[in-house]
Amino acid sequence: MGERPLPEGRYGRSSDRRTPQRVRIALLVAGVLVGGVLAFVGYRNLGTTPIEGKQTAYEILGNDAVKISFEVARDQPERPAVCIVRARSKDGDEVGRREVLIPPSESTVIESAVIKTSRPAITGVVFGCSYQVPEYLSSTTRPSG
């Protein structure tokens, strides 16, 4: 049995033309480049963190304060850093926040801070740490007022 051609009007024209090799190579190169860019962006955003703060303990000091202890690990111990710690209430709301200066020292340090709260808190957590220390934390003179 021989192969019968399909009716031209019903299925459209048959295309025996193939994509030129140059176009296929260009699409392959573009796909590899896009994949490389996505891998680089993913590594930068999801790779190892240069500084990380982790809560080690907390103590409720009353209805208006929480003491939090936390560990800070960093890849550049010679640089000062700042960590934001916060207190949270039973319903999950933030009821207190504080920025803590982490001076240059060992690569891993243990710090503690007391957070004043606007209402009773049930926990203290580390929100995050950064090498971008605000000027008012790094200067020796405290702002007045």
Side-chain angles (χ1 to χ4, degrees):
M1 291 176 73
E3 193 174 305
R4 293 185 350 202
L6 297 174
E8 189 81 24
R10 185 169 185 179
Y11 298 104
R13 287 187 267 159
S14 68
S15 109
D16 286 338
R17 290 181 265 159
R18 297 198 171 195
T19 307
Q21 187 170 358
R22 271 193 242 167
V23 173
R24 283 188 282 158
I25 290 173
L27 289 173
L28 178 66
V29 168
V32 168
L33 287 175
V34 167
V37 167
L38 287 174
F40 176 75
V41 169
Y43 175 76
R44 294 274 301 186
N45 291 332
L46 303 173
T48 58
T49 313
I51 184 168
E52 182 179 12
K54 182 172 56 173
Q55 173 219 20
T56 56
Y58 69 91
E59 178 183 357
I60 307 298
L61 300 177
N63 287 337
D64 63 347
V66 174
K67 180 178 181 181
I68 179 172
S69 297
F70 56 100
E71 179 181 272
V72 180
R74 52 189 164 173
D75 64 351
Q76 297 178 23
E78 70 279 359
R79 290 180 62 189
V82 63
C83 290
I84 298 172
V85 293
R86 62 186 188 165
R88 303 196 64 172
S89 65
K90 187 175 183 176
D91 59 4
D93 287 345
E94 180 179 291
V95 293
R97 175 184 283 237
R98 181 172 174 192
E99 295 174 324
V100 181
L101 177 66
I102 312 298
S105 63
E106 304 288 322
S107 59
T108 301
V109 295
I110 303 277
E111 290 286 333
S112 65
V114 174
I115 308 164
K116 296 292 182 183
T117 63
S118 60
R119 57 182 217 247
I122 62 162
T123 189
V125 295
V126 178
F127 183 71
C129 298
S130 171
Y131 287 118
Q132 298 174 352
V133 179
E135 182 63 34
Y136 66 88
L137 279 180
S138 62
S139 66
T140 54
T141 35
R142 304 300 267 171
S144 61

